[in-house]
Amino acid sequence: MSDYDLVIRGGTVVTAADTVRADVGIRAGKIVAVADKIEGGAKVIDASGLLVMPGGIDSHVHLAQPAFGGPKMADGFETGTRSAIAGGNTTVLPFALQPRGASLRASVTDYHREADGQSYCDYGFHLIISDPSPSVLGQELPALVGDGYTSFKVFMTYDDLVLNDRQLLEVFDCARGCGALVMVHCEGYDSIKFMTERLEAAGKTAPYYHAVSRPQVVEREATHRAISHGELIDVPIMIVHVSGREPMEQIRWAQQKGLKVYGETCTQYISLTADDLKGLNMDETGGKYVCSPPPRDHASWEAIWEGIRGGVFQTFSSDHCPFFYEGSEGKLNPKARTSFKWVPNGIPGVEVRLPILWSKGVGEGRITPNEFVALTSTNHAKIYGLYPEKGSIGVGFDADIVLWDPNRKETIRQELMHHGSDYTPFEGIAVTGWPVMTILRGAVVAEEGRILGTKADGKFLKRGLSPYAVPTGRTYL
Ligand code: DUC
Ligand code: ZN
Ligand code: ZN
């Protein structure tokens, strides 16, 4: 009998730290050897000419989630995680959303009903807190953190999600007490509402005005406010989906001050612009690109790269938030045609995150392959309490691996996608670098766009506390 269930032979192993020519030996779903030459193996995969990298961890995806003005998301767990593995990912962290007035624990149970047995890759949940009542803050959240839901997301906008400043402070204080990490959606509610009403009054209702209604100053103001609240409470926070220079500079300023403020950016902020939202009228394609914060402009892409290269951003995610384009449930539904404010807010992207970052980042000389791994896998594992089971290639890690062809040229097209949406907003983007095989805990689950795994493969990940969530100790109280 062989020592190994699987040996990946002849490839180049790339981690966040190193690039080495090495074979990888796998037993019982774990990496048990990384060495110059590994003999044997019940099964052998020839990885000559390929890079052997940790499977992607996408710590920001929305699946089966009723929110953001959407009648129905285009992906539940089955199609969303299918798309994830086709794109080289092995773990996703979606959200369990608490509707106002509901118990958080009951909401988590509902999401498990959607996910368990329906997931092609491993998954955990962040909690979205929309109603920080005394029982949520006092009992439910501490208990859920103990059960492995160790990060929360809070919103500074949206009628049914927004928290006021006092509520933000209360959630931050609770997170500090529990050791949880808070993710913050930074766009100012009142500013957006003001802008939206003025635009609508002027008859400016087409999808493009979604971007006009929430310019960078709206994101910058909220980012600064969140940072200030985090400083007051002394709780580390993660500013998610950062779209351009203005919010990026706020995060950099906070980091230079020694505050524990982390940054996430996403695929759309290096590959789409607000001009994509322009259509002649409601029947045009602008709605396909409606997401928040909106994509900005080419100067913003450069600012995002500055933040990536300068270490302002630790994670690069998709913010996969898929809706249909056509049909009564889609972005063109009758109500959405009356104003941009009703267009379901979000875009699919879990499958193209890795190729677009590789191509524009590594391929165009902006980041190294090791930085790519850190941004797409290792840092997600470290920040969200999955390390050292997930996020690298070394003895003891789960055998979650993507075999990557750095020379493979593809053009992103809807026909290649495995998601539930009827379109991709990244249609036509040419990339060099593509996932050719995805391995989840030692089993090949996707190869060359073919899905070989099953929706029973993914397991729920009870996450540990994040070392990134430890307060600085500089308190105002
Ligand atoms: N925020 C997200 O995180 N995703 C989609 C829309 C939004 O506002
Ligand atoms: Zn958000
Ligand atoms: Zn999101």
Side-chain angles (χ1 to χ4, degrees), residues 173 176 230-235 259 471-477:
D173 190 44
R176 188 180 199 276
E231 179 181 355
L232 188 68
I233 302 294
D234 184 30
V235 68
L259 300 176
T472 65
R474 283 190 261 152
T475 59
Y476 282 85
L477 277 174

Side-chain angles (χ1 to χ4, degrees), residues 138-158:
Q139 286 100 48
E140 291 201 309
L141 271 175
L144 285 161
V145 171
D147 290 345
Y149 307 87
T150 54
S151 44
F152 324 146
K153 184 174 178 196
V154 289
F155 285 79
M156 298 173 78
T157 190
Y158 294 120

Side-chain angles (χ1 to χ4, degrees), residues 190-222:
D190 284 309
S191 311
I192 294 170
K193 213 164 172 63
F194 172 87
M195 291 294 285
T196 301
E197 285 171 10
R198 290 293 168 97
L199 287 164
E200 285 181 334
K204 296 179 173 176
T205 54
Y208 173 65
Y209 294 102
H210 168 78
V212 179
S213 73
R214 40 221 305 160
Q216 277 200 64
V217 59
V218 168
E219 193 181 344
R220 183 193 73 202
E221 179 276 325

Side-chain angles (χ1 to χ4, degrees), residues 8 40 63 73 127 165 202 207 237 356 383:
I8 301 172
L63 301 174
M73 268 192 175
L127 308 173
D165 287 334
I237 56 173
I356 290 179
I383 289 173

Side-chain angles (χ1 to χ4, degrees), residues 60 62 68 95 128 153-155 157-158 161 184-187 240-241 264 292-293 319:
H60 190 153
H62 302 265
F68 308 125
F95 297 83
I128 291 179
K153 184 174 178 196
V154 289
F155 285 79
T157 190
Y158 294 120
L161 296 174
V184 193
H185 178 122
C186 296
E187 289 184 296
V240 293
H241 46 50
E264 173 204 76
S292 294
D319 195 2

